[in-house]
Amino acid sequence: NRAAQRLFKTDKSCIGKHILSVNRSSEISKLLSDSEKGKRTEKVIDIAGGKYQLNSGPVISDSKVSGTVLLALDVTDKENAERIRKEFTANVSHELKTPLHTIAGSAELLSNGVVKAEDLPYFYSRIQSEAQRMINLVEDIIRLSHLDEGVGNIKREETDLYVLAKETIKTLSEEAYKAGVSIAISGETAVINGIPQMLESIVYNLCDNAVKYNRPGGSVSVTIENKKECVVLTVSDTGIGIPTECRERIFERFYRVDKSRSKEMGGTGLGLSIVKHAARLHNASIELQSIVDKGTEISVTFPKDES
């Protein structure tokens, strides 16, 4: 059929020929061999850049095997989803295990009374910071879970992105001050129909990353542009930048360009993944430009007509 022609990149000229003249895969050859012996078998193999589950079964006629039926099911999305789920589970386990060990170890030392009085503030502070790191991680996981489930039932409303961004930046002013980074906003009133808490997540996570991965004396610039057909949010920084080989992966869950720095700053590795999902909910596109040791600029374009 036509689907098989597309899958095996052939045409009707292959009819009547052996399937190995179309595809010389050893896995397919084994499936056919088993089928000729009367066995029903299945196997997931790579074909044409995708994952396909091949089910082969014998055609029985007069108690003899007279042919084989080969059914190909595209399971690429299913396999990718399973891979992502496994990676996510492994990453969550690892991310939670590290602060838990720190908290448990510190608490054990304190309970055994082996910590000097002058060292008590250090251990209390360490327990508090690791506990907060776990809280942040769990909150981000819950937020991502809600995004995965879909938030179609959450009410959309007319939201001024400039006002929202200005208020969101205020919540980061203390963090920016401690890091020695200046943060400023420019632009104009720009109203879009969106989900305020999701829009806030986009602004917050982009600005939070721009502060965390900056340098003392650096700056973060937030710009809101109100164009005829769209609204553009741009966050640029003078930070460490993103290597070319990492740019396609930075929106993946738990992916970090600088792992040691991210953990030191309390990052969960989920911020940009939340940005990607929240942008998708608004049919927004994301564009990234970055130069290592110079800085990064990320723009999110929200169409005014979402249809």
Side-chain angles (χ1 to χ4, degrees):
N1 58 26
R2 282 177 294 181
Q5 288 177 33
R6 287 195 301 271
L7 178 61
F8 293 105
K9 296 180 179 178
T10 185
D11 53 33
K12 291 183 179 180
S13 64
C14 70
I15 294 175
K17 298 180 182 178
H18 198 285
I19 193 171
L20 293 181
S21 66
V22 175
N23 186 293
R24 303 189 65 81
S25 164
S26 59
E27 289 100 335
I28 293 179
S29 179
K30 179 67 166 57
L31 287 172
L32 295 175
S33 176
D34 288 342
S35 183
E36 289 171 358
K37 297 174 184 176
K39 297 179 183 178
R40 295 182 180 275
T41 54
E42 66 176 50
K43 189 175 182 65
V44 176
I45 68 172
D46 294 319
I47 303 178
K51 294 280 187 180
Y52 285 82
Q53 178 179 313
L54 298 184
N55 298 339
S56 69
V59 177
I60 307 296
S61 178
D62 295 330
S63 301
K64 294 182 180 180
V65 177
S66 60
T68 292
V69 173
L70 187 65
L71 178 65
L73 304 172
D74 187 348
V75 294
T76 306
D77 291 343
K78 180 182 176 182
E79 290 283 314
N80 287 339
E82 181 64 17
R83 175 183 58 80
I84 291 171
R85 185 192 67 78
K86 288 179 179 178
E87 289 179 357
F88 184 70
T89 302
N91 282 326
V92 168
S93 300
H94 174 73
E95 294 292 336
L96 287 174
K97 188 185 297 181
T98 304
L100 276 173
H101 281 171
T102 301
I103 292 170
S106 299
E108 184 178 358
L109 290 173
L110 290 170
S111 64
N112 290 335
V114 298
V115 179
K116 296 178 181 179
E118 60 267 27
D119 293 331
L120 288 175
Y122 166 77
F123 282 94
Y124 290 142
S125 175
R126 196 173 184 192
I127 290 174
Q128 184 180 26
S129 64
E130 292 296 329
Q132 186 59 52
R133 181 178 157 195
M134 288 180 63
I135 291 170
N136 293 340
L137 177 61
V138 171
E139 287 178 346
D140 279 352
I141 290 171
I142 292 172
R143 192 173 291 112
L144 267 177
S145 178
H146 289 162
L147 288 170
D148 284 340
E149 292 171 3
V151 289
N153 58 334
I154 296 181
K155 184 180 178 182
R156 291 174 178 254
E157 57 186 77
E158 296 296 305
T159 304
D160 188 333
L161 191 60
Y162 178 80
V163 173
L164 181 144
K166 195 172 183 179
E167 291 300 315
T168 303
I169 288 171
K170 286 182 182 178
T171 65
L172 285 165
S173 57
E174 185 177 350
E175 179 184 332
Y177 175 77
K178 290 179 179 177
V181 175
S182 63
I183 182 168
I185 182 171
S186 62
E188 56 194 319
T189 292
V191 177
I192 60 175
N193 183 34
I195 305 169
Q197 54 266 54
M198 293 295 105
L199 295 173
E200 182 181 358
S201 288
I202 292 173
V203 177
Y204 180 87
N205 282 295
L206 288 178
C207 292
D208 186 45
N209 271 12
V211 171
K212 279 189 172 77
Y213 295 98
N214 219 305
R215 61 188 83 248
S219 63
V220 175
S221 175
V222 181
T223 306
I224 307 295
E225 295 178 87
N226 189 5
K227 298 184 177 181
K228 184 178 180 180
E229 297 180 348
C230 62
V231 171
V232 183
L233 161 70
T234 302
V235 177
S236 57
D237 63 61
T238 57
I240 62 176
I242 303 168
T244 304
E245 64 273 14
C246 298
R247 291 175 196 171
E248 290 187 4
R249 299 197 60 192
I250 62 167
F251 293 96
E252 294 180 12
R253 300 175 186 191
F254 293 111
Y255 186 82
R256 297 181 175 98
V257 175
D258 187 338
K259 295 182 180 180
S260 60
R261 181 165 184 170
S262 178
K263 291 186 177 182
E264 180 185 334
M265 295 292 184
T268 64
L270 296 174
L272 289 181
S273 185
I274 292 173
V275 169
K276 181 183 75 172
H277 281 67
R280 186 182 297 162
L281 283 173
H282 294 85
N283 290 332
S285 59
I286 301 175
E287 184 179 347
L288 181 147
Q289 295 180 340
S290 186
I291 300 176
V292 175
D293 293 329
K294 290 288 183 68
T296 299
E297 180 178 286
I298 297 179
S299 296
V300 185
T301 301
F302 300 89
K304 289 183 177 179
D305 180 5
E306 288 197 29
S307 62

